[in-house]
Amino acid sequence: MTQPALISVIVPSYNCARYIALALDSALAQDYPHTEILVVDDGSTDNSLEVLRNFGARIRVITQANAGA
């Protein structure tokens, strides 16, 4: 039996606390069950990480020092 494909949603984030929850809610609302959501925070200085913590285990957060694209 073939395993269903895993879809990875990668969301770059830099100082976007005002918008990140809306973007993640949209990704989480998709009806395909085999997804993972990875947020790469590029050294945000606003409260982005606090907003991301509210999503708990539903997302995976990767943080790094600000490096740009």
Side-chain angles (χ1 to χ4, degrees):
M1 180 182 249
T2 304
Q3 292 286 335
L6 176 66
I7 302 295
S8 298
V9 178
I10 302 170
V11 181
S13 171
Y14 177 72
N15 288 343
C16 59
R18 291 176 48 191
Y19 308 105
I20 194 73
L22 183 62
L24 295 176
D25 284 340
S26 176
L28 289 165
Q30 301 305 306
D31 59 4
Y32 186 75
H34 305 286
T35 59
E36 65 177 351
I37 299 173
L38 308 169
V39 180
V40 180
D41 182 79
D42 190 35
S44 291
T45 57
D46 64 358
N47 67 327
S48 293
L49 291 176
E50 181 179 327
V51 173
L52 294 172
R53 274 192 284 276
N54 291 329
F55 285 89
R58 296 182 295 162
I59 64 171
R60 188 168 130 205
V61 179
I62 301 165
T63 58
Q64 65 181 33
N66 182 254

